Structures are given as C-alpha cells and as structure tokens.
Amino acid sequence: MISAVLLGAGNVATHLYKAFKNAETITVVQWYNRTIETLSDYANEIAITDNLAELKEADIYIMAVSDDSIAKLSQKLPFENRLVAHTSGSVSMHDLDKKNQIAVFYPLQTFSKDAEIDFTEVPICIEVYQKQNLQLLKDLAKAAGCKSHKITTEQRQTLHLAAVFANNFTNQLYRIAHEICESKNIEFEILKPLIIETAKKIEEMSPYMAQTGPAKRNDKKTIKRHLKLIENEKHKAIYELLTASIKKTHGKR
Amino acid sequence: MISAVLLGAGNVATHLYKAFKNAETITVVQWYNRTIETLSDYANEIAITDNLAELKEADIYIMAVSDDSIAKLSQKLPFENRLVAHTSGSVSMHDLDKKNQIAVFYPLQTFSKDAEIDFTEVPICIEVYQKQNLQLLKDLAKAAGCKSHKITTEQRQTLHLAAVFANNFTNQLYRIAHEICESKNIEFEILKPLIIETAKKIEEMSPYMAQTGPAKRNDKKTIKRHLKLIENEKHKAIYELLTASIKKTHGKR
C-alpha cells in the first residue's frame, strides 16, 4: 500500500485524486489546498487541510500546483527527507527544495475540470533524483492503472513542447475550422468524424504516411482557390505556413 | 433498390464500393476504370470495364475520379439525361457536362487505401441541380448507413477548406511533434493518448472551451523556454504564429 498526500486543487490534482481513490493499493491520506473551500466537496471522504503544519506522514507528497508555485511551496513544507514530487511538464525537478527527496510524476494529458478522462490511458513520465525512489513512483503509476516512462529532464521538457503542437495547436486548428464553418452557416458537427479519424489514423501509421490533401499533392489550383476563399488574414498566414511545411516534409517545392 | 455505376479506382471509389456492397438496397451494377488492371481484384464479384461505350444503365453514375479528370470524363459519357454525380470537395457541380442531370455526393472523410474506415461515420454532403434527384441521393447515403447534409457549392468548398485545417494541417502538427520527439529519442507513442483525447474532447465542448496550455494562459516564461528549445527555424515560426492565434482568440496580448 502506498500512502500519498495531494497538494493543490486544480485539474491535475482532481483527476489524480479520482484515479488514486479507485486504486486498491493507494491511500490518499490527506488533501491540502491553500484555500480549503475549493476542497469542501470532498470533506466527507478525505481529510482536507489548508494548513501545511498539519500535513500527515505519507510515502509521497504530490504537488499538483501551478508551475510558479512549485519552488515556494516546496520550501514551505515543514518536514525533511521525505519524497516530494511535482507534476509539471516544464518545471525542472531541481526547483523542488532539496531538504526533501525529489521527483517528477508528470501525467501527459489534457485535463479540463468538466471532461471525464480514462486515467488508465494517461502515460506517466517519471524522473527521480534519488534512484531508490524510482520503484515507488513506478508502482504508484501502475496502481493507478497507467503506463509509466522513465525520462530525463530534457526529454520531459521536449515532450511538453511536442504536446503543445499535438494538443494546443491542434485544438486551435479545430477552432479555426469552427470559425470557417460558422462564417458560412455550416454545422461544425459535420467535421467531427473527420477530426476523430485524423487522430485515430496515426495509431496505425506514421503522420508522414497518413498525410493527404492539396499541399501533399502540390495541387496548386486547389491551394490558390482556398487562399482566395479565406477571409481572415491571420488564417491565411497559417494556411500558407502549414502548406509550406507539408510541401517541405513531402519533398515538394 | 438503387442501381449505381462507379467510375474511378482510387481511395474514395474503393471505400464507396465496399460500403455499397454491404448495403441491402444498393446494387453496384458495374465498375469502370481507365486502366482495368487496377480493378482486377474485384473481377469475380462485379462487372468491370475500361470501355465507356459498354457502360450499363443505372440510376446513378458516381464519378470518384481526380478533380482534374471530372470535366473531361463527364463529357465523354456516351449517354444523356441520366444522373451523374462527382465526389469532390472542391470542384464545382457545373464542371459536369449538362447533357446529363448533375449532382455532388461528397463524403467528408480522410481516405487512405490501407486505413479501414467505418463508413457509417462518414457524413455525405449532397448537392443537386435537378431538385427531383435530391431524394435519390439522400436514399443512397442512408442505404450506405451515412448521415447526409444538403449544402450549397459555396458551403461545400468552405467545408473542404475547413477540413484542410482540421485534417491535413492537424496531421502536419502530429508530424512536427513526431520530429521533436525523435530529436531527443523519445517514443512518439507517449503522445498518442493525448492526441486521441484532444480530438475526443471537442465532442463534448467547443474548441474554444477545450483550449489549455501556455498560449491560452499567456504564460510568457514557458513560451520563451519552448522557443529556446526548438531547434528547427520553421517549427519556431509555426509555434509563434499559432501561439499568437490562440492569444488573440482568448483575448491575450
């Protein structure tokens, strides 16, 4: 049995709490947040606190707080030589105060409060400073039903960058497609099966192999027609840049 | 029962053939292609031909050929006043020779030869010149298990443009994420659950609501760190343009 204390009450903390609650070999012994009201919905099922001095003993303290709060909060912890992990994709492990043993437990997924997630599908990226803690972090991920990957700081920060392309930027392209549809009274719904299929396709083949469309074919007539059709200058710039990127990838000029 | 002749042997034609073959109320009476060898795998199950003069009578002739071939092939058809539809997202219906009745039957999906598709998930965009043919095209889509949408030429061409953003450009972002991972020996696999979740999320909420990440938060520190981390100048330009686009959408400067 692994005992854990959760710190923070944002999307990642909430999803971690739910995943850990359902795991047979993890006990969340306490949940801390700066403002206790945010945790009041959970007061009946778990010990909650807003007082760091009251933190209970546990195998691991998981800090799922904003990037900017990690260093300060780790300094304020009123104990030493225990295991403390943050969950950020981009903050260095060494931002954690070294009076404790330090680690990273980074769930690579997009978390929104309102979107339910199958947590067993979330890959956990693990980093440890003290080698002896690797197994505990792996066990923690496994107990939550997740695959884990031991990676370096540089790899984690690179993954976080790649995730911005694959998630935030992709979602912005959906947003632009949505705007383009609305401008001509087309239901955005019609595009959703295509969006799902685009994501599913790369389960089976590389994005390189999966590519189709006018840029890959270097179909100048269609590209020209599209550029004429785009009313928003910013969308036009994105169309041109990504078309050039696809052409370069597929050896077209 | 609707009888159909298919023309063309590319990805769309092949997926249409498979969908129609499984439909109880559609009979594909013949399959034409310029080079008959491409169709030889199907010779045992369907009448194939490479001779336009031999085309059989049918309720509808579906031309799933390349955009550039549509006009010419429609002129060469050796009959008049029958119903002819093309399947392109961007070619005007009026490129079809008006000696026949004309229409568009555009399946909005990304088709690759090797990727199996649940055709019942494909929305069919329908356009007709002669109103009396609308019902037949709707029935055809329904018999194949698909939802259909009656749209105008302008709407279809706009949808095709939106699909380039939601499919081709999105896939190129996957490709860039793949390249970024490879540059630091990270398995691209780790990103796949995130990619699927990004697509699934907008089933439940708008892309606007689904957005997260440093650009939306206007997290300048992370954005700066990412820009420093990107080695490829072209990727950097895409990062900057899409970050600016997200900031604008979410009212950040």
Side-chain angles (χ1 to χ4, degrees), chain A residues 67-68 90-91 108-112 114-118 121-123 125 149 151 154-181 183-188 190-215 217 219 221-222 225-226 229-230 234-243 245-246 248-250, chain B residues 67-68 90-91 108-112 114-118 121-123 125 149 151 154-181 183-188 190-215 217 219 221-222 225-227 229-230 234-243 245-246 248-250:
Chain A
D67 287 2
D68 288 339
S90 55
V91 171
L108 181 66
Q109 189 48 277
T110 169
F111 296 106
S112 296
D114 299 330
E116 284 299 316
I117 267 191
D118 177 4
E121 288 292 324
V122 178
C125 301
H149 305 264
I151 60 174
E154 190 190 24
Q155 283 177 324
R156 175 166 50 86
Q157 291 172 342
T158 302
L159 256 177
H160 186 255
L161 168 66
V164 165
F165 279 87
N167 168 236
N168 305 154
F169 292 169
T170 288
N171 186 71
Q172 183 66 3
L173 294 181
Y174 301 161
R175 162 71 191 182
I176 293 170
H178 192 171
E179 285 179 30
I180 291 171
C181 285
S183 74
K184 303 288 179 212
N185 292 312
I186 304 161
E187 293 169 69
F188 179 58
I190 304 182
L191 279 178
K192 288 185 177 175
L194 176 69
I195 285 172
I196 287 286
E197 182 59 28
T198 305
K200 272 193 191 159
K201 211 170 169 183
I202 59 157
E203 302 273 322
E204 314 272 318
M205 54 177 94
S206 68
Y208 181 87
M209 292 302 293
Q211 192 59 279
T212 60
R217 290 194 309 271
D219 173 352
K221 240 165 85 180
T222 302
R225 203 187 299 126
H226 281 167
L229 205 58
I230 302 176
K234 304 232 154 86
H235 296 173
K236 201 174 279 187
I238 291 168
Y239 187 101
E240 284 174 331
L241 198 58
L242 283 166
T243 292
S245 178
I246 294 171
K248 192 169 161 27
T249 296
H250 294 274
Chain B
D67 286 2
D68 289 340
S90 54
V91 171
L108 182 66
Q109 190 48 279
T110 168
F111 295 106
S112 297
D114 298 331
E116 284 298 316
I117 267 191
D118 177 3
E121 288 292 323
V122 178
C125 301
H149 304 263
I151 60 174
E154 190 190 24
Q155 284 177 325
R156 174 166 50 86
Q157 290 172 343
T158 302
L159 256 176
H160 187 255
L161 168 66
V164 165
F165 279 87
N167 169 236
N168 306 155
F169 293 169
T170 288
N171 186 71
Q172 182 66 3
L173 293 181
Y174 301 161
R175 163 71 191 182
I176 292 171
H178 192 172
E179 284 180 29
I180 291 173
C181 285
S183 74
K184 302 289 178 210
N185 292 312
I186 304 161
E187 294 168 70
F188 179 58
I190 304 183
L191 280 178
K192 289 186 177 175
L194 176 69
I195 285 171
I196 288 286
E197 182 58 28
T198 305
K200 272 193 191 161
K201 212 170 168 182
I202 59 156
E203 303 272 323
E204 314 271 317
M205 54 177 93
S206 68
Y208 181 87
M209 291 302 293
Q211 192 58 281
T212 60
R217 291 194 309 271
D219 174 351
K221 240 165 84 181
T222 302
R225 202 186 299 124
H226 280 168
L227 285 170
L229 204 58
I230 302 175
K234 304 234 154 85
H235 295 173
K236 199 174 281 186
I238 292 169
Y239 187 102
E240 284 175 331
L241 197 59
L242 283 166
T243 292
S245 178
I246 293 172
K248 193 167 160 28
T249 295
H250 294 274

Side-chain angles (χ1 to χ4, degrees), chain A residues 85-105:
Chain A
H86 77 59
T87 60
S88 163
S90 55
V91 171
S92 163
M93 178 166 64
H94 298 281
D95 278 19
L96 292 167
D97 191 318
K98 290 205 184 57
K99 68 186 175 188
N100 281 296
Q101 296 172 48
I102 58 177
V104 177
F105 188 85

Side-chain angles (χ1 to χ4, degrees), chain A residues 114-166:
Chain A
D114 299 330
E116 284 299 316
I117 267 191
D118 177 4
F119 206 84
T120 62
E121 288 292 324
V122 178
I124 307 285
C125 301
I126 291 174
E127 214 178 315
V128 290
Y129 191 48
Q130 289 82 8
K131 271 192 190 165
Q132 73 270 20
N133 293 323
L134 179 60
Q135 197 56 49
L136 187 136
L137 285 156
K138 278 186 173 178
D139 291 347
L140 186 68
K142 199 176 168 191
C146 307
K147 275 193 196 165
S148 65
H149 305 264
K150 185 181 171 292
I151 60 174
T152 66
T153 301
E154 190 190 24
Q155 283 177 324
R156 175 166 50 86
Q157 291 172 342
T158 302
L159 256 177
H160 186 255
L161 168 66
V164 165
F165 279 87

